[in-house]
Amino acid sequence: MTTDAQQQDDAERDRVSAPVKQGRRRWSRSARLYAGAALLLSVLLLVSAFVVQPFLIPSSSMAPTLKVGDRILVNKLAYRIGNSPGRGDVVVFDGRESFVQEEGPGGSPVTGFVRKAGAAVGLMRPEETDYVKRVIGVGGDRVRCCDKRGRIEVNGVPLDEDYLHEGDEPSAVPFDIEVPQGRLWVMGDHRSDSSDSRAHLGDPGGGTVPVERVIGRADGIGWPMKHWGSVQSAEAGAHG
């Protein structure tokens, strides 16, 4: 039979242990939340690394096709199954060995992780050496500017570039280059505000980009919602 003293002792133990139990429940909920967040981030990093990666547009060099702040969806599998970048494709590539000739100082591991995590959800630019441009010429093409009407020619055929930024001419810089095999000639759609292949004519590779440095093809705009849509290749209507 329970005495009054025992009941008082039990009540005291319950009073003392209640905060401990509440703390354990809070810790358990927090642990589950942290574990869920870590799992979600791991999945995002894996998808970003191998399948589709959001990419934050930092400049107006591809306007009006892509605007500053757009998050494009880069298909990393587009060129991994026997396909190669084609004329008119909008691609993201690593500019080392073409646009960037020297390695910059490496960041800390923490900075690198934060950048990768932010890039996985399209909150920041993945790397300072990454660029987004449109493919104008592929290996073996002769690309020149310009014909008598001011148009860029590829293999003697003038381009009808209806994607150009309003008021821009195809190029204010004359050039005539045969694209080496395994490389690409790329340009921004906002020609007067784009540092592209033309700006690297005197560099090794003559401004062309190695195909193996292509990260993927820009297939769509995921954010903001008002810009939702696909990023179309211009090849179908490129020549005129």
Side-chain angles (χ1 to χ4, degrees), residues 126-181:
E127 298 290 346
E128 292 300 323
T129 56
D130 291 346
Y131 297 83
V132 55
K133 303 294 178 188
R134 188 181 298 275
V135 177
I136 302 298
V138 299
D141 285 343
R142 181 182 178 187
V143 186
R144 64 175 294 272
C145 179
C146 290
D147 68 4
K148 293 180 179 179
R149 293 174 54 185
R151 298 172 298 182
I152 292 175
E153 291 182 341
V154 177
N155 301 325
V157 180
L159 300 185
D160 180 16
E161 299 186 282
D162 57 3
Y163 44 76
L164 290 184
H165 190 277
E166 185 177 359
D168 277 4
E169 55 185 312
S171 179
V173 178
F175 57 86
D176 188 343
I177 185 171
E178 183 170 328
V179 183
Q181 293 294 336

Side-chain angles (χ1 to χ4, degrees), residues 38-81:
L39 178 60
L40 177 60
L41 180 58
S42 298
V43 171
L44 288 173
L45 288 172
L46 283 172
V47 171
S48 177
F50 298 106
V51 185
V52 176
Q53 179 176 354
F55 184 93
L56 174 64
I57 300 300
S59 75
S60 61
S61 69
M62 280 298 295
T65 305
L66 303 174
K67 299 175 176 61
V68 175
D70 282 352
R71 272 73 167 177
I72 59 173
L73 302 177
V74 179
N75 181 354
K76 289 191 166 186
L77 300 179
Y79 306 125
R80 292 187 181 179
I81 314 176

Side-chain angles (χ1 to χ4, degrees), residues 110-125:
V110 173
T111 301
F113 176 79
V114 171
R115 176 175 291 277
K116 287 181 180 179
V121 292
L123 294 179
M124 62 176 62
R125 184 172 175 167

Side-chain angles (χ1 to χ4, degrees), residues 69-120:
D70 282 352
R71 272 73 167 177
I72 59 173
L73 302 177
V74 179
N75 181 354
K76 289 191 166 186
L77 300 179
Y79 306 125
R80 292 187 181 179
I81 314 176
N83 297 319
S84 297
R87 300 185 200 97
D89 286 357
V90 176
V91 298
V92 173
F93 61 92
D94 181 346
R96 288 173 293 182
E97 299 182 18
S98 56
F99 285 23
V100 180
Q101 299 303 323
E102 295 182 0
E103 294 283 354
S108 69
V110 173
T111 301
F113 176 79
V114 171
R115 176 175 291 277
K116 287 181 180 179

Side-chain angles (χ1 to χ4, degrees), residues 14-50:
D14 290 343
R15 186 183 67 80
V16 172
S17 65
V20 175
K21 292 179 179 179
Q22 290 175 355
R24 288 175 178 173
R25 286 196 294 269
R26 284 196 296 269
W27 182 88
S28 179
R29 287 196 296 269
S30 298
R32 288 196 295 269
L33 287 174
Y34 287 134
L39 178 60
L40 177 60
L41 180 58
S42 298
V43 171
L44 288 173
L45 288 172
L46 283 172
V47 171
S48 177
F50 298 106

